[in-house]
Amino acid sequence: MCESRPVNVAVIGLGLIGGSLLRALAAHGHNVTGYDLAPSTRVEATAMAKAAGAHHFADPSIRPVEIKGAWHVTDSVADAVADAEVVVLAVPLPAVPAVLAELSGFLGLITDVTSVKGPVRDLMGGLRYVGGHPMAGKESSSFLASDPHLFDECAWVLCLEPGSTGLDDWLTLAGLYTSIGARVVPATADEHDRAVARISHVPHLLAAALSNLIEDNPLAGTLAAGSFRDGTRVAATRPELIAAMCGGNADAVREAMELVLSDLSIFAESLDSVDELTGLLRRPGELRRGWPAAPGVPVEIGLDRDSLLALGRSGGWVTRVGDTAIGMRPETDLKSS
Amino acid sequence: MCESRPVNVAVIGLGLIGGSLLRALAAHGHNVTGYDLAPSTRVEATAMAKAAGAHHFADPSIRPVEIKGAWHVTDSVADAVADAEVVVLAVPLPAVPAVLAELSGFLGLITDVTSVKGPVRDLMGGLRYVGGHPMAGKESSSFLASDPHLFDECAWVLCLEPGSTGLDDWLTLAGLYTSIGARVVPATADEHDRAVARISHVPHLLAAALSNLIEDNPLAGTLAAGSFRDGTRVAATRPELIAAMCGGNADAVREAMELVLSDLSIFAESLDSVDELTGLLRRPGELRRGWPAAPGVPVEIGLDRDSLLALGRSGGWVTRVGDTAIGMRPETDLKSS
């Protein structure tokens, strides 16, 4: 099951991401302990562990390593992390400080899954921390929506800060996440935040502005079909969540919004010249038709910061970590229009 | 098959829309003749008619009414319209004048399927014309992609100009299209053009601006997932087509783009206040979650211009035309967040 050595992992927070990670790691032979603040979620996770062949041990000295493919649910953060080498904080950003307070004295490696990396990095001064962000999600966010295959082929950013991240710690997590099938993408927190502003946060704001166009125009709502449906889908996300992720990444979102506003203004000014507008639309069409880039051939990647960060900047990812790392660099040839 | 009386219809242009209409009308018992400028398309449409139980008659005096569920393909516009009561121009806007030149002397009713209605209306002075636009499409545009079920439940705008459209002509077409399962939406050409700017043309420009954000940022392209995929889907449309439809509706697109640019600027200015941004995002979230509106109960609609146009403006549509018209008015209660 586990190609690399089994790792003792504690997952704190068992929603969609944490629950899916708990199940994926256990299925791949790692020793996994989970905790959630909500007793009802602990009951659900325990019940599913039993169904997978395990038990909710009242005695935390009995480790789930004894039962293949299952996991262990505890009633406190302290119990969950007692034997852990790695702790994954799978809680929303506002809950991170409270969990960190319960981790005082923990000497192992800490990572997280929040969607903005700069603010979390700034909370972690002095701790062994590697920021993480799996590019996976679903409409629902509960443990019951969790899926051990959620991270198959998923791009999982692991932050490699030139000044602070331990390379060995980064490689430990890269080995762990590649072992469950994720594509591990090396990036600095700032590079990550600028990228997700472009491909996740700004799209939510565009979807909201587009949704507003059916206000006071029921005829438009009735005529709306595929292009409106797809262009507005994520506007149905809870407004608090959109505002928190955009506001938590305000500088990068503002920078990307300036690019979008500039392009849209130029398009609007070119409406009277179909030839000019056609020319402006050619490149975005090529970019969209060329996305996602086809994976290239596997390449060996040097196990040093510069090589790993260069791989991430070129759009590549790590697929396996051992004595060497194997990565993929996507084809850069764009399909023509 | 045909609830109302069978109508003799000629479809000029047998791409995705024309081909699907030819097949849908024939399947519902109307007498349908088709013509396409491309000999290869005529061959394809003839071959499919044979498969449906008919033949490509060299002698146009033999009408396809004799063969249930099939259609007749001719080698000229003149042959196609010889016995037609209704001619449907299913050609792109630039091809409309050439087809009209071949229709000189035709005294029946003319309609079209182009996506902008003002410019076509302006070409039709003095003819018996009702502008039409089915809100249906697919990536592919050839006869081979046609589908007789393309218009099931499809919103099909029929323009009712207070000054010029004959009410009887409008009702004839409304009866024809409801007979194949479309939802017929009454609107003026200007109302139509403003509505489609909002829900079809502007979404293409937003998708293009969003696609540009992965330029020079391969990392962003690798991290992009669902919100980018859906928000950019229509940017892959051929740039000539996007530019032609936006440029052909420039005034309405410009007006809708001003609304979008204003909203986006306000969102960008509110990034430092999560509460303010949450408040701004609440209404678009409600609008999106409330779309599409649930159909209400069937209502009887007066067969006069004012009643029909009021139905369209309220987001409603006609489902059946006989001695009276039956329409639906959608529920206006929005789902709360």
Side-chain angles (χ1 to χ4, degrees):
Chain A
M1 299 283 270
C2 188
E3 287 182 22
S4 50
R5 71 170 179 88
V7 180
N8 288 1
V9 185
V11 180
I12 308 301
L14 302 177
L16 172 69
I17 300 292
S20 298
L21 181 59
L22 182 87
R23 297 170 64 186
L25 289 169
H28 286 84
H30 297 287
N31 308 318
V32 199
T33 304
Y35 169 78
D36 194 279
L37 189 61
S40 60
T41 300
R42 297 203 296 272
V43 168
E44 289 163 2
T46 302
M48 198 181 283
K50 281 183 183 163
H55 308 280
H56 178 183
F57 298 97
D59 179 356
S61 68
I62 304 175
R63 307 308 304 168
V65 64
E66 298 158 28
I67 300 122
K68 271 299 218 191
W71 54 86
H72 185 77
V73 179
T74 66
D75 287 327
S76 73
V77 171
D79 284 350
V81 307
D83 284 353
E85 301 162 69
V86 173
V87 171
V88 182
L89 307 185
V91 297
L93 178 54
V96 168
V99 179
L100 282 182
E102 297 197 64
L103 286 178
S104 66
F106 178 73
L107 299 175
L109 174 54
I110 301 173
T111 187
D112 72 323
V113 300
T114 59
S115 60
V116 184
K117 306 286 16 117
V120 185
R121 176 195 58 198
D122 298 342
L123 290 170
M124 296 287 176
L127 296 172
R128 275 178 61 202
Y129 167 71
V130 177
H133 182 205
M135 306 305 297
K138 275 193 198 173
E139 308 287 321
S140 180
S141 60
S142 72
F143 178 79
L144 295 177
S146 68
D147 174 2
H149 294 289
L150 186 65
F151 308 115
D152 294 358
E153 293 291 313
C154 162
W156 194 312
V157 176
L158 282 177
C159 292
L160 189 51
E161 304 300 323
S164 58
T165 312
L167 182 61
D168 286 348
D169 286 343
W170 192 94
L171 291 169
T172 295
L173 286 177
L176 186 68
Y177 292 148
T178 54
S179 79
I180 62 168
R183 302 182 287 137
V184 168
V185 180
T188 67
D190 290 341
E191 287 170 348
H192 167 277
D193 289 354
R194 281 198 299 275
V196 295
R198 291 176 176 222
I199 53 83
S200 172
H201 301 167
V202 166
H204 282 79
L205 299 180
L206 295 188
L210 191 51
S211 297
N212 271 339
L213 290 182
I214 61 171
E215 179 79 298
D216 299 328
N217 196 329
L219 172 65
T222 295
L223 301 190
S227 60
F228 179 84
R229 181 191 60 232
D230 289 356
T232 56
R233 183 179 59 83
V234 294
T237 309
R238 286 201 297 122
E240 294 82 1
L241 294 181
I242 305 175
M245 70 190 190
C246 292
N249 194 20
D251 289 343
V253 173
R254 219 174 342 249
E255 185 186 298
M257 285 290 276
E258 276 169 27
L259 296 173
V260 166
L261 284 164
S262 165
D263 277 358
L264 291 177
S265 298
I266 293 170
F267 295 161
E269 283 159 19
S270 308
L271 285 166
D272 289 326
S273 166
V274 170
D275 285 349
E276 192 183 329
L277 188 54
T278 301
L280 292 168
L281 295 171
R282 205 171 296 287
R283 181 64 184 156
E286 288 171 359
L287 288 165
R288 182 52 172 81
R289 281 186 293 275
W291 179 88
V297 292
V299 287
E300 192 169 317
I301 306 295
L303 294 184
D304 60 277
R305 289 164 202 276
D306 288 348
S307 300
L308 289 165
L309 285 172
L311 177 72
R313 281 180 204 123
S314 72
W317 57 87
V318 174
T319 57
R320 197 150 58 81
V321 179
D323 295 335
T324 63
I326 302 299
M328 299 291 271
R329 232 181 267 278
E331 307 278 0
T332 52
D333 280 0
L334 286 164
K335 292 162 199 161
S336 64
S337 61
Chain B
M1 299 288 268
C2 188
E3 288 182 20
S4 51
R5 70 172 180 89
V7 180
N8 288 359
V9 185
V11 180
I12 308 301
L14 302 177
L16 171 69
I17 299 292
S20 297
L21 182 58
L22 183 87
R23 297 170 65 187
L25 289 169
H28 286 84
H30 298 286
N31 308 318
V32 199
T33 305
Y35 168 80
D36 193 279
L37 191 61
S40 60
T41 300
R42 298 201 296 271
V43 168
E44 289 162 3
T46 302
M48 197 179 285
K50 281 183 183 163
H55 307 281
H56 179 180
F57 298 95
D59 179 355
S61 69
I62 304 175
R63 307 308 304 168
V65 64
E66 298 158 29
I67 299 120
K68 271 300 214 190
W71 54 87
H72 184 77
V73 179
T74 67
D75 287 327
S76 73
V77 172
D79 283 350
V81 308
D83 284 353
E85 300 160 70
V86 173
V87 172
V88 182
L89 307 184
V91 298
L93 179 53
V96 167
V99 179
L100 282 183
E102 296 196 66
L103 286 178
S104 65
F106 177 73
L107 299 175
L109 175 54
I110 300 172
T111 186
D112 72 323
V113 300
T114 58
S115 61
V116 185
K117 304 278 33 105
V120 185
R121 176 195 56 197
D122 298 343
L123 290 170
M124 295 289 177
L127 295 171
R128 272 179 63 201
Y129 167 70
V130 177
H133 181 206
M135 305 306 297
K138 277 194 199 173
E139 308 287 322
S140 180
S141 60
S142 72
F143 179 79
L144 294 177
S146 67
D147 174 0
H149 294 289
L150 187 65
F151 308 114
D152 293 359
E153 294 292 312
C154 161
W156 195 311
V157 176
L158 283 177
C159 292
L160 188 51
E161 303 301 323
S164 57
T165 312
L167 183 60
D168 286 347
D169 287 343
W170 193 94
L171 291 170
T172 296
L173 287 177
L176 186 68
Y177 291 146
T178 53
S179 80
I180 63 169
R183 301 182 289 137
V184 168
V185 180
T188 66
D190 291 341
E191 286 170 347
H192 167 277
D193 289 354
R194 281 198 299 274
V196 296
R198 293 177 174 222
I199 53 83
S200 172
H201 302 167
V202 166
H204 282 79
L205 299 180
L206 295 188
L210 191 52
S211 297
N212 271 339
L213 290 181
I214 61 170
E215 180 78 300
D216 299 329
N217 196 329
L219 172 65
T222 294
L223 301 191
S227 60
F228 179 84
R229 180 192 61 232
D230 289 356
T232 56
R233 184 180 58 84
V234 294
T237 309
R238 287 201 298 121
E240 294 81 0
L241 294 182
I242 304 176
M245 69 189 189
C246 291
N249 194 19
D251 289 342
V253 173
R254 219 175 340 251
E255 185 186 298
M257 286 290 275
E258 277 170 25
L259 295 174
V260 166
L261 285 164
S262 165
D263 276 358
L264 292 177
S265 299
I266 292 170
F267 294 160
E269 285 160 18
S270 308
L271 285 166
D272 289 325
S273 166
V274 170
D275 285 349
E276 191 182 328
L277 188 54
T278 301
L280 291 168
L281 296 171
R282 205 172 296 286
R283 181 65 183 155
E286 287 171 358
L287 288 164
R288 181 53 171 82
R289 280 186 294 275
W291 179 89
V297 291
V299 287
E300 193 169 314
I301 307 295
L303 293 182
D304 60 277
R305 289 163 202 274
D306 288 347
S307 300
L308 289 164
L309 285 172
L311 177 72
R313 282 181 203 121
S314 71
W317 57 87
V318 173
T319 57
R320 198 150 57 79
V321 179
D323 296 335
T324 64
I326 303 299
M328 299 290 274
R329 230 180 270 277
E331 306 279 357
T332 51
D333 280 0
L334 286 164
K335 291 163 199 160
S336 65
S337 60

